[in-house]
Amino acid sequence: TGGLIVLADSFGQSVFKESLRRMFRRFPDDSPGDGGHLQMGFAAQIDVTTSREFKIAGAIGPCSSLKKMGPNVAETEIGTGGTSAWSMGGVDPSTTLAVYFEITNSNANPLPAHKRRYIQFVAQYQHANGRTRLRATTLCGPWHGDPNDASPIARSFDQEASAVLMARIATHRTETEDVPDILRWVDRSLIRLCSKFADYRKDDPGSFRLSQEFSMYPQFMFHLRRSQFLQLFNTSPDESAYYRSVLVRENTTNSLVMIQPSLLSYSFQGTPSPVLLDAASVSPDTILLLDTFFHVVVFHGEKIAMWRDQGYQDHEEHIHFKNLLIAPQTDAQRIMDQRFPVPRYIVCDQHKSEARFVIAKLNPSLTHNTNDGSAGERIFTDDVSLRVFMEHLMKLAVQS
């Protein structure tokens, strides 16, 4: 199968039993060509071919090298390199592989304006019905040859995919390098990117502006630096191995949730709404739903927990309060029904011990040192906030 890991306290726990059951999910009976068969594929492998101007540096994901050398294999290795083909063992519909490339054409030999680049991915696996399936995906695109004008590259930048690709490299490097060195590399890469693509006047941090294609990227890097993939405090070696192994096989959307968890707020003021992953989002009269991919947490504010403990939801005149309590639990169940491995479900109250699952993920914009009267949850930490992180980034990016 290529192996799978599930993190649970015991074999009797629902997290383990439900994850094991979902491993053997089948396609719906009315699904053409797949009906009734297992969703997993077997003996999968992938082959990558490129045009001459660039080479394959490697792949990061649930794969091992098939040692297929050729002229399109780069000497520089990223992840599992030195090959253009990989074995992936067992795959499911969400298995994702990250492939990295190196441009070999030098600036001294500019490409003609009409030149196109080609990449072909040839994936094959054995379907549960016994037949071998092969899928070829060919991508074509233009080259940009002017080293003095980076705007076409900036306009095509996918910050979400880039954040996940960087997270995979950082996670892969933890196997052979110390975490402080990796954090410095993440910081240097971010500063270089901002220096190249941001709009600013030299040595004037106040003039620093990032276009919308890059606007979220520094935030992703801030949360990646604080994530359980790079911060080992309070995490056992087997937990670290589990979190990292899941990150390198999931798709972009799920990986982003792991890097920067999503936070929904429920209140009497209106429909549930996404809020910033920030200490200022905690309020005594709201309920928060945190999705970190590995945990789904329903967090009751202090007043909400007090009203619930007094049984207000059992009175007919407080039906709105009862609905407010039920809504995040229903949404949490919907998230958990779709996910593999099954996340751990936690219900907690503000200022209680399990509230740490939420507080540890929040940007510490309010700490024990904050004296400006801001509303929100004070977080007792020496970690820098996103605002301080961005101030340092702007200062270093604009340096001449």
PDB file of all heavy atoms in Angstrom, residues 280 365-366 370-378:
ATOM      1  N   ALA A 280      -7.400  38.339  18.846  1.00  0.00           N
ATOM      2  CA  ALA A 280      -8.496  39.308  18.895  1.00  0.00           C
ATOM      3  C   ALA A 280      -9.838  38.693  18.483  1.00  0.00           C
ATOM      4  O   ALA A 280     -10.893  39.291  18.729  1.00  0.00           O
ATOM      5  CB  ALA A 280      -8.181  40.493  17.987  1.00  0.00           C
ATOM      6  N   SER A 365      -1.373  38.459  18.861  1.00  0.00           N
ATOM      7  CA  SER A 365      -1.421  39.921  18.738  1.00  0.00           C
ATOM      8  C   SER A 365      -1.674  40.577  20.094  1.00  0.00           C
ATOM      9  O   SER A 365      -1.406  41.760  20.280  1.00  0.00           O
ATOM     10  CB  SER A 365      -2.514  40.333  17.749  1.00  0.00           C
ATOM     11  OG  SER A 365      -3.783  39.874  18.196  1.00  0.00           O
ATOM     12  N   LEU A 366      -2.209  39.798  21.051  1.00  0.00           N
ATOM     13  CA  LEU A 366      -2.400  40.271  22.432  1.00  0.00           C
ATOM     14  C   LEU A 366      -1.636  39.344  23.358  1.00  0.00           C
ATOM     15  O   LEU A 366      -1.885  38.136  23.379  1.00  0.00           O
ATOM     16  CB  LEU A 366      -3.887  40.235  22.819  1.00  0.00           C
ATOM     17  CG  LEU A 366      -4.846  41.144  22.050  1.00  0.00           C
ATOM     18  CD1 LEU A 366      -6.272  40.782  22.386  1.00  0.00           C
ATOM     19  CD2 LEU A 366      -4.583  42.596  22.399  1.00  0.00           C
ATOM     20  N   THR A 370       0.733  43.385  26.465  1.00  0.00           N
ATOM     21  CA  THR A 370      -0.091  44.361  25.734  1.00  0.00           C
ATOM     22  C   THR A 370      -0.869  45.234  26.712  1.00  0.00           C
ATOM     23  O   THR A 370      -1.581  44.728  27.582  1.00  0.00           O
ATOM     24  CB  THR A 370      -1.081  43.627  24.794  1.00  0.00           C
ATOM     25  OG1 THR A 370      -0.348  42.717  23.968  1.00  0.00           O
ATOM     26  CG2 THR A 370      -1.821  44.618  23.906  1.00  0.00           C
ATOM     27  N   ASN A 371      -0.746  46.548  26.553  1.00  0.00           N
ATOM     28  CA  ASN A 371      -1.423  47.474  27.485  1.00  0.00           C
ATOM     29  C   ASN A 371      -2.311  48.495  26.774  1.00  0.00           C
ATOM     30  O   ASN A 371      -2.608  49.542  27.321  1.00  0.00           O
ATOM     31  CB  ASN A 371      -0.367  48.241  28.313  1.00  0.00           C
ATOM     32  CG  ASN A 371       0.449  47.313  29.185  1.00  0.00           C
ATOM     33  OD1 ASN A 371      -0.114  46.444  29.837  1.00  0.00           O
ATOM     34  ND2 ASN A 371       1.756  47.490  29.179  1.00  0.00           N
ATOM     35  N   ASP A 372      -2.742  48.181  25.532  1.00  0.00           N
ATOM     36  CA  ASP A 372      -3.508  49.192  24.795  1.00  0.00           C
ATOM     37  C   ASP A 372      -5.022  49.027  24.937  1.00  0.00           C
ATOM     38  O   ASP A 372      -5.790  49.664  24.233  1.00  0.00           O
ATOM     39  CB  ASP A 372      -3.119  49.172  23.315  1.00  0.00           C
ATOM     40  CG  ASP A 372      -3.384  47.821  22.666  1.00  0.00           C
ATOM     41  OD1 ASP A 372      -3.950  46.939  23.347  1.00  0.00           O
ATOM     42  OD2 ASP A 372      -3.040  47.652  21.483  1.00  0.00           O
ATOM     43  N   GLY A 373      -5.461  48.149  25.839  1.00  0.00           N
ATOM     44  CA  GLY A 373      -6.897  47.983  26.087  1.00  0.00           C
ATOM     45  C   GLY A 373      -7.631  47.204  25.019  1.00  0.00           C
ATOM     46  O   GLY A 373      -8.866  47.242  24.949  1.00  0.00           O
ATOM     47  N   SER A 374      -6.907  46.482  24.147  1.00  0.00           N
ATOM     48  CA  SER A 374      -7.548  45.718  23.067  1.00  0.00           C
ATOM     49  C   SER A 374      -8.374  44.566  23.628  1.00  0.00           C
ATOM     50  O   SER A 374      -8.020  43.958  24.648  1.00  0.00           O
ATOM     51  CB  SER A 374      -6.485  45.148  22.122  1.00  0.00           C
ATOM     52  OG  SER A 374      -5.651  46.164  21.644  1.00  0.00           O
ATOM     53  N   ALA A 375      -9.497  44.262  22.931  1.00  0.00           N
ATOM     54  CA  ALA A 375     -10.346  43.139  23.330  1.00  0.00           C
ATOM     55  C   ALA A 375      -9.801  41.854  22.716  1.00  0.00           C
ATOM     56  O   ALA A 375      -9.236  41.870  21.631  1.00  0.00           O
ATOM     57  CB  ALA A 375     -11.774  43.383  22.866  1.00  0.00           C
ATOM     58  N   GLY A 376     -10.000  40.739  23.415  1.00  0.00           N
ATOM     59  CA  GLY A 376      -9.542  39.444  22.905  1.00  0.00           C
ATOM     60  C   GLY A 376      -8.890  38.637  24.005  1.00  0.00           C
ATOM     61  O   GLY A 376      -8.921  39.002  25.180  1.00  0.00           O
ATOM     62  N   GLU A 377      -8.302  37.518  23.626  1.00  0.00           N
ATOM     63  CA  GLU A 377      -7.669  36.604  24.572  1.00  0.00           C
ATOM     64  C   GLU A 377      -6.184  36.927  24.697  1.00  0.00           C
ATOM     65  O   GLU A 377      -5.453  36.916  23.701  1.00  0.00           O
ATOM     66  CB  GLU A 377      -7.845  35.159  24.082  1.00  0.00           C
ATOM     67  CG  GLU A 377      -7.175  34.116  24.931  1.00  0.00           C
ATOM     68  CD  GLU A 377      -7.985  33.717  26.153  1.00  0.00           C
ATOM     69  OE1 GLU A 377      -9.133  34.177  26.296  1.00  0.00           O
ATOM     70  OE2 GLU A 377      -7.466  32.942  26.976  1.00  0.00           O
ATOM     71  N   ARG A 378      -5.724  37.216  25.896  1.00  0.00           N
ATOM     72  CA  ARG A 378      -4.292  37.464  26.099  1.00  0.00           C
ATOM     73  C   ARG A 378      -3.546  36.128  26.090  1.00  0.00           C
ATOM     74  O   ARG A 378      -3.910  35.203  26.805  1.00  0.00           O
ATOM     75  CB  ARG A 378      -4.052  38.193  27.419  1.00  0.00           C
ATOM     76  CG  ARG A 378      -4.566  39.625  27.381  1.00  0.00           C
ATOM     77  CD  ARG A 378      -4.189  40.409  28.622  1.00  0.00           C
ATOM     78  NE  ARG A 378      -4.821  41.724  28.577  1.00  0.00           N
ATOM     79  CZ  ARG A 378      -4.327  42.751  27.895  1.00  0.00           C
ATOM     80  NH1 ARG A 378      -3.206  42.624  27.228  1.00  0.00           N
ATOM     81  NH2 ARG A 378      -4.964  43.907  27.879  1.00  0.00           N
TER      82      ARG A 378
END
